[in-house]
Amino acid sequence: MLNTLREYERNPLVRFLHSVFDEVAGSEIVDKVVERYAIGTSTKWGGATVYWQIDQYGRIRTGKVMGYNATNGKRIHTQNNYVHSILSDRYPNFNLEQCYFGSHLIVEAEHHADLNNAERRRLNIDGEFHPPIWLFESEKAAVIVAIALMWGGAPFTFIPMATSGCGNLNPTFEAKRNPNHKIQVLKNRKVVLFPDAGKFDEWKAQGEKLKGFCQEVYISTVMERDLHPNKVDCEINYGDGFDDCILRYIADGKEIWNLICTCYGYHGQWKIV
């Protein structure tokens, strides 16, 4: 993994992120988020992106290698593989147990929460705050939302993570009992699910299976115009993610912070469990 954390001038996704955010948010924020998520540069396909899956204990489970168009940030669907598959000859007895992209960030976020909660106790302020997990389908969405949060001065308020598809949430009875399963990072936590456009019912059904496992589960309606109580002032197509809205707002010179602040919640209206 360490050998991939470089040569970002060859990495099409990182180049795209800089082209979008440098002028509005600053290149330092992009670099910091790339570093925090341990995004790597592969030797495949001229420098494809590596999304390392690192669990909450710092164990590297695998890496997802994906090609992107550096101009528009779109995936190149023919450029897609996993590190454990590429290096299968080196690890003949490899046993894959994936984790959510960004799971390792829980430790850093909780450290900041502990410091803030200690200060709240010193000031006799009731209640403690622990950052909810924002769970997206795509890794790119989690990264772009993380950039937006850091840009807005709230890098540890939420923890953007990615499942790599709704089917990978998979809160089965066996998964909940398996201490090494990726779903364990959601246990006893507040979680917000962010379905891509058109996937709301599918994600809601998955979220309902988290009852008794998570502290609270919300589902964002931001990609569903008929359900969302606030105006999303951009085009939304089937399959789009929340990151597409953010990118369209920035391209049109629109303020994104109100979009970020109203993307879920609504006084418990969309609390699943």
Side-chain angles (χ1 to χ4, degrees):
M1 184 194 77
L2 294 176
N3 286 338
T4 70
L5 306 183
R6 57 191 180 190
E7 298 187 53
Y8 292 118
E9 68 280 357
R10 297 175 57 243
N11 189 313
L13 175 69
V14 176
R15 288 163 55 198
F16 171 73
L17 294 175
H18 277 293
S19 71
V20 172
F21 289 102
D22 279 9
E23 288 190 11
V24 293
S27 62
E28 298 83 2
I29 286 179
V30 175
D31 290 339
K32 186 64 179 177
V33 170
V34 168
E35 176 187 1
R36 182 168 289 164
Y37 279 86
I39 295 174
T41 303
S42 172
T43 57
K44 292 186 69 65
W45 302 306
T49 298
V50 186
Y51 293 118
W52 290 103
Q53 294 184 8
I54 311 168
D55 68 17
Q56 66 270 40
Y57 304 109
R59 299 177 297 194
I60 304 165
R61 302 290 188 95
T62 188
K64 186 176 181 181
V65 184
M66 298 181 67
Y68 285 92
N69 182 310
T71 302
N72 60 22
K74 299 294 185 181
R75 284 180 54 188
I76 301 174
H77 291 274
T78 57
Q79 298 179 0
N80 187 8
N81 208 334
Y82 281 89
V83 172
H84 67 272
S85 294
I86 296 170
L87 302 180
S88 59
D89 57 327
R90 301 190 195 178
Y91 304 100
N93 299 316
F94 184 80
N95 181 27
L96 176 64
E97 188 78 63
Q98 290 186 270
C99 67
Y100 300 132
F101 175 71
S103 293
H104 64 290
L105 298 176
I106 289 176
V107 175
E108 183 181 12
E110 280 297 339
H111 172 69
H112 283 266
D114 289 343
L115 295 176
N116 290 334
N117 289 327
E119 182 65 11
R120 291 170 67 92
R121 289 190 295 270
R122 188 184 71 81
L123 298 173
N124 293 318
I125 299 175
D126 292 335
E128 292 193 354
F129 174 79
H130 295 278
I133 291 172
W134 281 11
L135 206 53
F136 297 88
E137 293 201 36
S138 80
E139 295 87 351
K140 188 179 96 171
V143 170
I144 286 176
V145 172
I147 291 172
L149 289 171
M150 185 174 289
W151 177 14
F156 300 107
T157 307
F158 307 100
I159 310 171
M161 291 165 42
T163 64
S164 193
C166 179
N168 291 326
L169 178 56
N170 199 26
T172 63
F173 178 76
E174 292 77 11
K176 295 173 188 176
R177 296 191 62 186
N178 180 353
N180 290 317
H181 196 277
K182 57 193 171 188
I183 204 171
Q184 293 301 321
V185 295
L186 309 182
K187 189 172 184 179
N188 299 325
R189 299 193 69 94
K190 293 182 180 180
V191 178
V192 185
L193 307 178
F194 280 82
D196 286 351
K199 299 290 188 68
F200 184 86
D201 291 337
E202 186 178 352
W203 274 73
K204 188 173 183 293
Q206 294 277 29
E208 288 170 348
K209 298 176 186 177
L210 293 170
K211 184 177 182 180
F213 188 76
C214 298
Q215 181 182 352
E216 294 177 333
V217 179
Y218 292 84
I219 185 165
S220 172
T221 59
V222 70
M223 303 306 295
E224 304 293 327
R225 290 195 188 278
D226 294 340
L227 300 175
H228 198 61
N230 297 288
K231 181 180 180 182
V232 177
D233 189 19
C234 71
E235 179 184 9
I236 297 178
N237 301 310
Y238 181 85
D240 283 347
F242 188 40
D243 55 312
D244 292 303
C245 289
I246 293 173
L247 293 174
R248 286 167 190 158
Y249 266 57
I250 293 172
D252 292 338
K254 297 172 184 173
E255 170 61 50
I256 68 166
W257 194 241
N258 187 60
L259 176 70
I260 299 288
C261 291
T262 61
C263 63
Y264 92 100
Y266 323 125
H267 307 289
Q269 180 182 355
W270 291 106
K271 182 177 177 181
I272 303 178
V273 293

